[in-house]
Amino acid sequence: RQVTSDASFHSVSFSETDHPKVLITGGLGQLGVGLAKMLRKRFGNNNVILSDIRKPPSHVFHSGPFIYSDILDYKNLREIVVNNRITWLVHYSALLSAVGEANVALARDVNITGLHNVLDIAAEHGLRLFVPSTIGAFGPTSPRNPTPDLCVQRPRTIYGVSKVHAELMGEYYHHRYGLDFRSLRYPGIISADSQPGGGTTDYAVAIFHDAIKTGKFECNLKPDTRLPMMYIDDCLRATVEMMEAPTDTLSMRTYNINAMSFTPEELAQEVQKQLPELEVTYEIDQVRQAIADSWPMNFDDSNARNDWGWKHDYDLPELVQTMLNYIGADSR
Ligand code: AKB
């Protein structure tokens, strides 16, 4: 930032004022580093700050601004927003579905109390706020095939309950205080160079690593469990597109987005087209299976497609090819 100590103190260059200044919480999870990379290309390296409570690996630390931020510490978060003149906040801190069931009290703190801090700070400072929601915000009484944007939402996980809470609170703050709240319900996200942590859809990432490393994969969901899924590049692009969408194109503040739906068996068959020697066995994790059985099988994202032009690039064959190329090249 070019600021001088003389009379031109308040002058900032045009491009600087033009770009949002972004803070990403939970930045060391599955999505933060990839999103930071995409946003830094658009807005400049110094305009996108990654944050987390963990120490970043050195390649992350050296690739752009990184800061310690604990979303449960209101003053710490507010100080970061004020000192860095943040205008967009992407709130990725959360415990996922399976790990949340193993630690309900922590999930409640991070996913609900943490969100309250973020909402208040965003409303107080006029930020545009993105909070991801999920297919996990639906439950056994929701229509599952397909699941529309507006329907019964009675999830049975603390993760799902916290995400319905986030959707409703964000929309409430939008109507009550004018907060520019935006949310997408993500399907299971599949990425090569970052790991999901403790989700129900994690098997769809693990299969690629195990297929390349050992040629064997033990799946913790039944072979016919159908869930909506998306490649990370589509997910991050959807996020940026929704954040940049003109307000008048948004008829809602929380949208389903989707790319494909498949079962473990269908995914394994697609991988076996490239690696025919892959052996897949099934050892069911009852917690994850019960969660998956309550989630959407197909996701209706027609509102996102109609309102702001959402369109995915990756279907199952392209996803498998891309993952195998990526992980294969990495392991050589
Ligand atoms: C999970 O499995 O918990 C997440 C999700 C679908 O929200 N990947």
Side-chain angles (χ1 to χ4, degrees):
R1 197 188 128 96
Q2 286 176 339
V3 174
T4 56
S5 56
D6 60 16
S8 64
F9 181 82
H10 292 293
S11 76
V12 286
S13 71
F14 178 74
S15 60
E16 228 174 75
T17 50
D18 216 18
H19 285 320
K21 189 89 198 258
V22 189
L23 176 68
I24 303 173
T25 70
L28 298 182
Q30 187 187 10
L31 305 174
V33 173
L35 185 71
K37 199 169 159 197
M38 194 176 269
L39 291 175
R40 281 172 182 159
K41 268 199 203 126
R42 281 177 102 69
F43 303 142
N45 229 40
N46 290 331
N47 288 323
V48 181
I49 304 176
L50 266 179
S51 72
D52 209 304
I53 52 173
R54 289 184 287 136
K55 190 169 154 187
S58 69
H59 72 275
V60 172
F61 188 71
H62 293 295
S63 64
F66 182 93
I67 205 164
Y68 171 87
S69 140
D70 179 358
I71 53 143
L72 292 174
D73 181 342
Y74 185 88
K75 285 174 93 175
N76 167 249
L77 191 58
R78 190 172 61 184
E79 190 175 323
I80 290 166
V81 166
V82 169
N83 286 352
N84 294 285
R85 302 175 63 237
I86 296 300
T87 57
W88 285 14
L89 206 163
V90 176
H91 179 46
Y92 272 163
S93 311
L95 263 68
L96 297 185
S97 56
V99 79
E101 290 313 288
N103 200 339
V104 173
L106 183 64
R108 201 185 58 186
D109 278 356
V110 173
N111 295 12
I112 297 179
T113 309
L115 175 90
H116 292 168
N117 289 342
V118 164
L119 280 173
D120 283 341
I121 289 167
E124 223 175 88
H125 297 90
L127 309 185
R128 180 169 297 181
L129 173 63
F130 181 85
V131 181
S133 187
T134 161
I135 51 172
F138 298 94
T141 51
S142 307
R144 295 181 60 220
N145 193 8
T147 306
D149 280 302
L150 297 175
C151 63
V152 170
Q153 285 179 270
R154 287 291 180 277
R156 298 252 176 97
T157 59
I158 185 65
Y159 176 59
V161 169
S162 71
K163 288 298 186 181
V164 176
H165 176 77
E167 293 176 7
L168 292 175
M169 286 294 284
E171 291 181 11
Y172 173 74
Y173 270 54
H174 172 65
H175 294 299
R176 179 80 206 260
Y177 304 118
L179 172 66
D180 191 353
F181 170 81
R182 301 176 183 218
S183 179
L184 295 175
R185 296 194 189 98
Y186 291 163
I189 305 301
I190 298 162
S191 54
D193 61 356
S194 60
Q195 297 291 332
T200 302
T201 57
D202 294 9
Y203 90 86
V205 175
I207 187 172
F208 292 100
H209 292 276
D210 290 6
I212 284 175
K213 261 189 246 137
T214 66
K216 291 187 172 48
F217 177 61
E218 189 179 275
C219 184
N220 55 23
L221 293 181
K222 290 184 193 160
D224 61 350
T225 310
R226 181 173 302 283
L227 290 168
M229 300 277 184
M230 181 178 282
Y231 184 56
I232 186 167
D233 287 15
D234 275 341
C235 167
L236 300 178
R237 185 170 52 79
T239 305
V240 175
E241 285 176 9
M242 207 252 185
M243 279 300 266
E244 290 186 333
T247 303
D248 60 5
T249 63
L250 303 176
S251 66
M252 304 185 298
R253 288 285 157 166
T254 306
Y255 287 90
N256 293 350
I257 47 158
N258 197 21
M260 64 194 104
S261 269
F262 55 72
T263 65
E265 197 168 40
E266 288 165 356
L267 177 59
Q269 277 164 7
E270 194 64 37
V271 177
Q272 280 159 342
K273 287 185 188 163
Q274 313 283 324
L275 301 172
E277 66 287 1
L278 171 66
E279 271 175 46
V280 181
T281 53
Y282 294 88
E283 187 63 51
I284 308 311
D285 172 337
Q286 297 304 338
V287 173
R288 283 184 166 84
Q289 187 64 49
I291 294 173
D293 288 342
S294 75
W295 281 3
M297 296 161 82
N298 280 299
F299 220 26
D300 176 355
D301 62 355
S302 48
N303 287 316
R305 288 176 193 262
N306 292 335
D307 284 4
W308 46 274
W310 165 240
K311 197 169 170 303
H312 70 278
D313 279 340
Y314 291 80
D315 282 308
L316 182 57
E318 296 84 45
L319 166 85
V320 168
Q321 193 64 62
T322 308
M323 288 292 286
L324 291 177
N325 288 348
Y326 207 118
I327 298 169
D330 249 20
S331 68
R332 278 198 286 276

